[in-house]
Amino acid sequence: MQQRPRRNRKSPAVRALVRETVLTPGDLIYPLFMHGGDDDQLIDSMPGCGRWSVEGLVREAGEAHALGIPAVVLFPVVPEDAKSPGAEECYNPDGLVPRAVRALKSAHPGLAVITDVALDPYNSDGHDGIVRRSGGELEVLNDETVEVLCRQALCHAQAGADMVAPSDMMDGRVAAIRGALDEEGHEPVSILSYAAKYASAYYGPFRGALESAPKEGDKKTYQMDPANVREAVREALLDEGEGADILMVKPAGPYLDVIAAVRESTALPVAAYQVSGEYLMIKCTAASGWLEERAVVMESLAGIRRAGADMILTYFAKDVAKWLG
Ligand code: PBG
Protein backbone atom coordinates (compact mmCIF):
# COMPACT_ATOMS: atom_id res chain seq x y z
CA MET A 1 0.00 0.00 0.00
CA GLN A 2 1.46 3.39 -0.94
CA GLN A 3 -0.99 5.51 0.96
CA ARG A 4 -1.39 4.85 4.68
CA PRO A 5 -3.10 7.96 6.15
CA ARG A 6 -2.94 6.35 9.59
CA ARG A 7 0.83 7.10 9.72
CA ASN A 8 -0.11 10.75 10.30
CA ARG A 9 -2.19 9.74 13.30
CA LYS A 10 0.17 7.29 14.93
CA SER A 11 1.18 9.24 18.06
CA PRO A 12 0.26 12.41 19.96
CA ALA A 13 3.47 13.99 18.63
CA VAL A 14 2.65 13.33 14.98
CA ARG A 15 -0.99 14.32 15.48
CA ALA A 16 0.18 17.61 16.99
CA LEU A 17 2.34 18.29 13.93
CA VAL A 18 -0.40 17.67 11.39
CA ARG A 19 -3.22 19.36 13.30
CA GLU A 20 -4.92 21.89 11.03
CA THR A 21 -6.90 23.92 13.54
CA VAL A 22 -5.96 25.06 16.98
CA LEU A 23 -7.97 26.67 19.71
CA THR A 24 -6.38 28.90 22.33
CA PRO A 25 -7.92 30.96 25.13
CA GLY A 26 -6.99 33.96 22.95
CA ASP A 27 -9.73 32.92 20.50
CA LEU A 28 -12.49 33.16 23.08
CA ILE A 29 -14.96 35.87 24.06
CA TYR A 30 -16.86 35.32 27.30
CA PRO A 31 -20.50 36.51 27.40
CA LEU A 32 -21.61 37.69 30.84
CA PHE A 33 -25.04 38.53 32.25
CA MET A 34 -25.43 41.16 34.90
CA HIS A 35 -28.09 42.95 36.91
CA GLY A 36 -28.33 46.06 39.05
CA GLY A 37 -28.56 44.30 42.43
CA ASP A 38 -25.80 43.50 44.92
CA ASP A 39 -26.10 39.72 44.78
CA ASP A 40 -24.77 37.18 42.30
CA GLN A 41 -27.57 34.92 41.11
CA LEU A 42 -27.66 31.55 39.39
CA ILE A 43 -29.63 31.43 36.15
CA ASP A 44 -32.14 28.56 36.13
CA SER A 45 -32.37 28.41 32.35
CA MET A 46 -28.58 28.34 31.97
CA PRO A 47 -26.92 26.12 34.60
CA GLY A 48 -23.32 27.18 35.22
CA CYS A 49 -23.96 30.82 34.25
CA GLY A 50 -24.42 33.69 36.67
CA ARG A 51 -26.40 36.88 36.67
CA TRP A 52 -23.70 39.03 38.24
CA SER A 53 -23.72 42.18 40.31
CA VAL A 54 -21.23 44.75 38.99
CA GLU A 55 -18.79 43.64 41.69
CA GLY A 56 -19.31 39.95 40.83
CA LEU A 57 -18.89 40.77 37.15
CA VAL A 58 -15.54 42.43 37.77
CA ARG A 59 -14.39 39.36 39.71
CA GLU A 60 -15.63 36.85 37.11
CA ALA A 61 -14.15 38.84 34.22
CA GLY A 62 -10.85 39.10 36.10
CA GLU A 63 -10.70 35.33 36.52
CA ALA A 64 -11.41 34.86 32.82
CA HIS A 65 -8.74 37.40 31.87
CA ALA A 66 -6.19 35.69 34.13
CA LEU A 67 -6.90 32.47 32.21
CA GLY A 68 -5.94 34.19 28.94
CA ILE A 69 -9.40 35.18 27.67
CA PRO A 70 -8.95 38.56 25.95
CA ALA A 71 -12.54 39.83 25.87
CA VAL A 72 -15.96 39.78 27.49
CA VAL A 73 -19.33 40.83 26.09
CA LEU A 74 -21.98 42.23 28.42
CA PHE A 75 -25.72 41.58 28.62
CA PRO A 76 -27.80 43.52 31.16
CA VAL A 77 -31.01 42.50 32.90
CA VAL A 78 -33.10 45.66 32.99
CA PRO A 79 -35.93 45.95 35.56
CA GLU A 80 -39.44 46.19 34.08
CA ASP A 81 -39.93 49.73 35.40
CA ALA A 82 -36.88 50.98 33.45
CA LYS A 83 -38.24 49.59 30.16
CA SER A 84 -40.17 51.81 27.77
CA PRO A 85 -41.41 51.81 24.17
CA GLY A 86 -38.57 54.21 23.23
CA ALA A 87 -35.92 52.20 25.18
CA GLU A 88 -34.47 55.46 26.56
CA GLU A 89 -32.63 53.62 29.35
CA CYS A 90 -30.22 52.19 26.74
CA TYR A 91 -28.35 55.50 26.50
CA ASN A 92 -28.50 56.52 30.16
CA PRO A 93 -24.86 57.35 31.06
CA ASP A 94 -25.53 56.11 34.61
CA GLY A 95 -27.21 52.93 33.39
CA LEU A 96 -26.01 49.44 34.26
CA VAL A 97 -23.89 48.86 31.15
CA PRO A 98 -21.87 52.09 31.29
CA ARG A 99 -21.33 51.57 35.03
CA ALA A 100 -20.12 48.02 34.41
CA VAL A 101 -17.85 49.11 31.54
CA ARG A 102 -16.21 51.75 33.73
CA ALA A 103 -15.74 49.27 36.60
CA LEU A 104 -14.27 46.62 34.29
CA LYS A 105 -11.91 48.98 32.48
CA SER A 106 -10.58 50.42 35.72
CA ALA A 107 -10.05 46.99 37.33
CA HIS A 108 -8.75 45.20 34.20
CA PRO A 109 -7.47 47.75 31.68
CA GLY A 110 -6.04 45.04 29.43
CA LEU A 111 -9.34 43.18 29.05
CA ALA A 112 -11.33 44.14 25.95
CA VAL A 113 -14.90 45.05 26.87
CA ILE A 114 -17.54 44.54 24.21
CA THR A 115 -21.11 45.78 24.59
CA ASP A 116 -24.25 44.55 22.89
CA VAL A 117 -26.08 47.21 20.90
CA ALA A 118 -29.79 46.39 20.54
CA LEU A 119 -32.93 47.54 22.27
CA ASP A 120 -34.48 44.26 23.46
CA PRO A 121 -33.41 44.41 27.12
CA TYR A 122 -34.73 48.00 27.34
CA ASN A 123 -37.76 47.85 25.16
CA SER A 124 -41.11 47.22 26.86
CA ASP A 125 -42.05 45.27 23.72
CA GLY A 126 -39.05 42.94 23.93
CA HIS A 127 -38.01 43.66 20.35
CA ASP A 128 -34.58 44.74 19.16
CA GLY A 129 -36.08 47.89 17.66
CA ILE A 130 -38.80 50.47 18.19
CA VAL A 131 -42.26 49.01 17.65
CA ARG A 132 -45.25 50.65 15.99
CA ARG A 133 -48.71 49.11 15.91
CA SER A 134 -51.08 49.95 13.11
CA GLY A 135 -54.36 48.11 12.74
CA GLY A 136 -53.23 45.24 14.96
CA GLU A 137 -50.08 44.78 12.87
CA LEU A 138 -46.78 45.08 14.70
CA GLU A 139 -43.99 46.81 12.80
CA VAL A 140 -40.35 47.15 13.94
CA LEU A 141 -39.22 50.53 12.64
CA ASN A 142 -35.80 50.58 11.00
CA ASP A 143 -34.54 54.15 10.71
CA GLU A 144 -36.03 55.33 14.02
CA THR A 145 -34.33 52.39 15.71
CA VAL A 146 -30.97 53.15 14.11
CA GLU A 147 -31.02 56.63 15.66
CA VAL A 148 -31.48 55.13 19.12
CA LEU A 149 -28.78 52.51 18.47
CA CYS A 150 -26.35 55.31 17.64
CA ARG A 151 -27.05 56.98 20.98
CA GLN A 152 -26.63 53.63 22.75
CA ALA A 153 -23.31 52.91 21.01
CA LEU A 154 -22.06 56.41 21.83
CA CYS A 155 -23.01 55.98 25.48
CA HIS A 156 -21.02 52.71 25.62
CA ALA A 157 -18.04 54.31 23.87
CA GLN A 158 -18.06 57.23 26.31
CA ALA A 159 -17.97 54.74 29.20
CA GLY A 160 -14.83 53.18 27.68
CA ALA A 161 -16.05 50.17 25.68
CA ASP A 162 -13.38 48.78 23.32
CA MET A 163 -15.94 47.45 20.85
CA VAL A 164 -19.64 47.80 20.27
CA ALA A 165 -21.54 44.83 18.87
CA PRO A 166 -24.82 45.69 17.13
CA SER A 167 -27.02 42.59 17.36
CA ASP A 168 -30.25 44.18 16.18
CA MET A 169 -30.15 43.41 12.42
CA MET A 170 -31.55 46.79 11.36
CA ASP A 171 -30.45 47.93 7.90
CA GLY A 172 -27.74 50.57 7.68
CA ARG A 173 -26.87 50.57 11.37
CA VAL A 174 -23.16 49.86 11.00
CA ALA A 175 -22.57 52.92 8.83
CA ALA A 176 -24.72 55.08 11.10
CA ILE A 177 -22.96 53.89 14.28
CA ARG A 178 -19.53 54.35 12.65
CA GLY A 179 -20.47 57.90 11.70
CA ALA A 180 -21.84 58.72 15.16
CA LEU A 181 -18.73 57.33 16.89
CA ASP A 182 -16.30 59.15 14.60
CA GLU A 183 -18.14 62.42 14.93
CA GLU A 184 -17.56 62.32 18.69
CA GLY A 185 -13.90 61.35 18.44
CA HIS A 186 -14.33 57.61 19.08
CA GLU A 187 -12.48 56.43 15.97
CA PRO A 188 -10.63 53.73 17.96
CA VAL A 189 -13.87 52.02 19.09
CA SER A 190 -14.38 48.91 16.94
CA ILE A 191 -17.61 47.56 15.52
CA LEU A 192 -18.13 43.82 15.90
CA SER A 193 -21.17 43.40 13.72
CA TYR A 194 -23.71 40.60 14.10
CA ALA A 195 -23.75 40.47 10.31
CA ALA A 196 -25.64 37.21 9.83
CA LYS A 197 -27.91 36.70 12.79
CA TYR A 198 -30.67 34.17 12.31
CA ALA A 199 -34.20 34.10 13.74
CA SER A 200 -33.23 31.12 15.85
CA ALA A 201 -35.07 29.03 18.43
CA TYR A 202 -31.65 28.43 20.04
CA TYR A 203 -31.86 31.84 21.79
CA GLY A 204 -34.61 30.62 24.14
CA PRO A 205 -32.51 30.19 27.31
CA PHE A 206 -30.86 33.61 26.79
CA ARG A 207 -34.22 35.34 26.64
CA GLY A 208 -35.16 33.50 29.83
CA ALA A 209 -31.95 34.70 31.50
CA LEU A 210 -32.61 38.34 30.58
CA GLU A 211 -36.42 38.26 30.68
CA SER A 212 -36.21 39.84 27.25
CA ALA A 213 -38.45 37.66 25.07
CA PRO A 214 -40.71 39.59 22.65
CA LYS A 215 -44.11 40.20 24.26
CA GLU A 216 -45.81 39.81 20.90
CA GLY A 217 -44.83 38.49 17.50
CA ASP A 218 -41.40 37.15 16.53
CA LYS A 219 -38.15 38.56 15.15
CA LYS A 220 -38.47 37.21 11.61
CA THR A 221 -38.80 40.61 9.92
CA TYR A 222 -35.27 41.53 10.98
CA GLN A 223 -33.37 38.36 11.94
CA MET A 224 -32.58 36.02 9.05
CA ASP A 225 -34.39 32.97 7.74
CA PRO A 226 -32.47 29.82 8.81
CA ALA A 227 -32.93 28.48 5.28
CA ASN A 228 -30.64 31.11 3.71
CA VAL A 229 -26.89 31.27 3.16
CA ARG A 230 -26.42 33.59 0.16
CA GLU A 231 -28.30 36.25 2.10
CA ALA A 232 -25.73 35.89 4.90
CA VAL A 233 -22.94 36.71 2.45
CA ARG A 234 -24.90 39.74 1.26
CA GLU A 235 -25.37 40.96 4.85
CA ALA A 236 -21.68 40.37 5.62
CA LEU A 237 -20.49 42.31 2.58
CA LEU A 238 -22.87 45.18 3.34
CA ASP A 239 -21.54 45.43 6.90
CA GLU A 240 -17.96 45.28 5.65
CA GLY A 241 -18.74 48.12 3.24
CA GLU A 242 -20.33 50.11 6.05
CA GLY A 243 -17.17 49.90 8.13
CA ALA A 244 -17.51 46.84 10.38
CA ASP A 245 -14.20 45.58 11.82
CA ILE A 246 -15.29 42.02 12.57
CA LEU A 247 -18.22 40.07 11.12
CA MET A 248 -20.22 37.64 13.22
CA VAL A 249 -22.36 34.63 12.38
CA LYS A 250 -24.91 33.51 14.97
CA PRO A 251 -25.76 30.80 16.05
CA ALA A 252 -22.59 28.82 15.31
CA GLY A 253 -22.95 25.02 15.40
CA PRO A 254 -26.01 24.65 13.16
CA TYR A 255 -24.60 27.31 10.76
CA LEU A 256 -21.09 26.03 9.97
CA ASP A 257 -21.71 26.38 6.23
CA VAL A 258 -22.62 30.04 6.79
CA ILE A 259 -19.38 30.61 8.71
CA ALA A 260 -17.46 29.01 5.84
CA ALA A 261 -19.28 31.09 3.22
CA VAL A 262 -18.69 34.35 5.08
CA ARG A 263 -15.04 33.37 5.66
CA GLU A 264 -14.61 32.87 1.89
CA SER A 265 -16.20 36.18 0.99
CA THR A 266 -14.21 38.61 3.16
CA ALA A 267 -10.74 39.36 4.45
CA LEU A 268 -12.18 40.65 7.74
CA PRO A 269 -11.93 38.53 10.89
CA VAL A 270 -14.97 36.32 11.41
CA ALA A 271 -16.58 35.63 14.79
CA ALA A 272 -19.16 32.97 15.64
CA TYR A 273 -21.51 32.86 18.61
CA GLN A 274 -22.16 29.49 20.22
CA VAL A 275 -25.51 30.59 21.65
CA SER A 276 -27.43 29.71 24.79
CA GLY A 277 -29.38 26.82 23.23
CA GLU A 278 -26.20 25.22 21.92
CA TYR A 279 -24.67 25.60 25.39
CA LEU A 280 -27.70 24.11 27.09
CA MET A 281 -27.96 21.13 24.77
CA ILE A 282 -24.44 20.10 25.76
CA LYS A 283 -24.89 21.01 29.45
CA CYS A 284 -28.10 19.04 29.90
CA THR A 285 -26.96 16.00 27.98
CA ALA A 286 -23.71 15.94 29.93
CA ALA A 287 -25.56 16.36 33.24
CA SER A 288 -27.57 13.25 32.47
CA GLY A 289 -24.31 11.39 31.85
CA TRP A 290 -25.10 10.68 28.20
CA LEU A 291 -22.23 12.74 26.79
CA GLU A 292 -18.79 13.60 28.07
CA GLU A 293 -18.97 17.38 28.53
CA ARG A 294 -15.35 18.38 28.05
CA ALA A 295 -14.79 16.29 24.93
CA VAL A 296 -18.03 17.42 23.31
CA VAL A 297 -17.39 21.10 24.08
CA MET A 298 -13.90 20.90 22.58
CA GLU A 299 -15.21 19.11 19.50
CA SER A 300 -18.00 21.65 19.02
CA LEU A 301 -15.48 24.51 19.18
CA ALA A 302 -13.03 22.72 16.86
CA GLY A 303 -15.84 22.45 14.33
CA ILE A 304 -16.58 26.17 14.57
CA ARG A 305 -12.89 27.06 14.16
CA ARG A 306 -12.51 24.60 11.26
CA ALA A 307 -15.47 26.20 9.48
CA GLY A 308 -13.52 29.46 9.50
CA ALA A 309 -14.27 31.39 12.70
CA ASP A 310 -11.28 33.31 14.06
CA MET A 311 -12.95 33.86 17.41
CA ILE A 312 -15.83 32.27 19.30
CA LEU A 313 -18.27 33.69 21.81
CA THR A 314 -19.10 30.86 24.18
CA TYR A 315 -20.51 30.43 27.67
CA PHE A 316 -17.94 27.63 28.07
CA ALA A 317 -15.06 30.13 27.66
CA LYS A 318 -13.76 29.91 31.22
CA ASP A 319 -13.96 26.12 31.38
CA VAL A 320 -12.23 25.83 28.03
CA ALA A 321 -9.44 28.20 29.03
CA LYS A 322 -8.88 26.07 32.14
CA TRP A 323 -8.84 22.85 30.13
CA LEU A 324 -6.38 24.34 27.66
CA GLY A 325 -4.23 25.70 30.49
C1 PBG B 1 -30.27 40.47 21.64
C2 PBG B 1 -29.45 39.24 21.66
C3 PBG B 1 -29.92 37.92 21.67
C4 PBG B 1 -28.79 37.10 21.84
C5 PBG B 1 -27.67 37.95 21.88
N1 PBG B 1 -28.09 39.27 21.75
C6 PBG B 1 -31.28 37.37 21.66
C7 PBG B 1 -32.18 37.66 20.55
O1 PBG B 1 -31.79 38.19 19.51
O2 PBG B 1 -33.35 37.38 20.71
C8 PBG B 1 -28.84 35.61 21.95
C9 PBG B 1 -27.64 34.97 22.60
C10 PBG B 1 -27.84 33.57 23.05
O3 PBG B 1 -28.88 32.92 22.81
O4 PBG B 1 -26.90 33.06 23.68
N2 PBG B 1 -30.29 41.25 20.54
Side-chain angles (χ1 to χ4, degrees), residues 63-133:
E63 286 179 23
H65 193 215
L67 289 164
I69 295 170
V72 294
V73 59
L74 307 181
F75 296 103
V77 183
V78 178
E80 268 317 303
D81 59 10
K83 299 187 185 190
S84 60
E88 285 84 359
E89 177 63 17
C90 79
Y91 50 82
N92 173 3
D94 299 315
L96 182 54
V97 170
R99 277 194 284 125
V101 171
R102 286 192 291 266
L104 283 169
K105 289 307 294 184
S106 90
H108 315 297
L111 175 73
V113 176
I114 308 172
T115 57
D116 194 70
V117 172
L119 305 188
D120 49 324
Y122 305 94
N123 184 324
S124 41
D125 300 289
H127 278 282
D128 293 24
I130 306 279
V131 166
R132 180 170 66 197
R133 282 185 185 74

Side-chain angles (χ1 to χ4, degrees), residues 34-301:
M34 59 188 179
H35 71 131
D38 295 330
D39 57 326
D40 300 322
Q41 305 169 349
L42 295 173
I43 301 177
D44 293 338
S45 67
M46 294 184 65
C49 292
R51 207 185 273 114
W52 304 100
S53 62
V54 172
E55 203 179 310
L57 180 83
V58 169
R59 196 176 340 105
E60 181 70 4
E63 286 179 23
H65 193 215
L67 289 164
I69 295 170
V72 294
V73 59
L74 307 181
F75 296 103
V77 183
V78 178
E80 268 317 303
D81 59 10
K83 299 187 185 190
S84 60
E88 285 84 359
E89 177 63 17
C90 79
Y91 50 82
N92 173 3
D94 299 315
L96 182 54
V97 170
R99 277 194 284 125
V101 171
R102 286 192 291 266
L104 283 169
K105 289 307 294 184
S106 90
H108 315 297
L111 175 73
V113 176
I114 308 172
T115 57
D116 194 70
V117 172
L119 305 188
D120 49 324
Y122 305 94
N123 184 324
S124 41
D125 300 289
H127 278 282
D128 293 24
I130 306 279
V131 166
R132 180 170 66 197
R133 282 185 185 74
S134 43
E137 285 289 306
L138 181 146
E139 190 189 346
V140 175
L141 303 174
N142 195 88
D143 300 9
E144 291 81 348
T145 298
V146 170
E147 280 176 37
V148 183
L149 296 172
C150 287
R151 301 180 72 163
Q152 184 181 22
L154 209 50
C155 164
H156 296 170
Q158 279 156 357
D162 298 275
M163 295 190 193
V164 293
S167 70
D168 53 284
M169 290 299 280
M170 297 300 121
D171 294 332
R173 89 277 205 219
V174 172
I177 290 171
R178 185 71 272 158
L181 291 174
D182 289 1
E183 208 165 298
E184 297 293 325
H186 295 294
E187 292 89 352
V189 174
S190 322
I191 299 181
L192 164 55
S193 160
Y194 287 67
K197 175 172 177 179
Y198 287 86
S200 171
Y202 287 87
Y203 307 150
F206 174 98
R207 294 177 189 170
L210 290 189
E211 292 150 19
S212 66
K215 304 260 159 59
E216 192 190 323
D218 54 43
K219 300 192 175 185
K220 291 180 184 169
T221 67
Y222 45 106
Q223 298 181 349
M224 285 178 49
D225 183 340
N228 294 354
V229 61
R230 291 194 304 266
E231 191 182 355
V233 172
R234 180 184 186 207
E235 285 280 7
L237 294 179
L238 278 172
D239 285 4
E240 173 168 13
E242 290 181 32
D245 299 286
I246 303 172
L247 300 171
M248 197 197 305
V249 174
K250 175 183 176 191
Y255 295 84
L256 297 179
D257 59 323
V258 178
I259 297 172
V262 170
R263 170 70 292 153
E264 283 288 295
S265 68
T266 176
L268 286 182
V270 175
Y273 197 148
Q274 183 179 52
V275 301
S276 56
E278 298 176 74
Y279 172 79
L280 208 59
M281 288 199 312
I282 297 177
K283 263 299 196 223
C284 293
T285 324
S288 69
W290 292 76
L291 281 180
E292 195 192 322
E293 178 168 338
R294 176 174 169 167
V296 172
V297 170
M298 295 308 282
E299 189 174 333
S300 71
L301 298 177

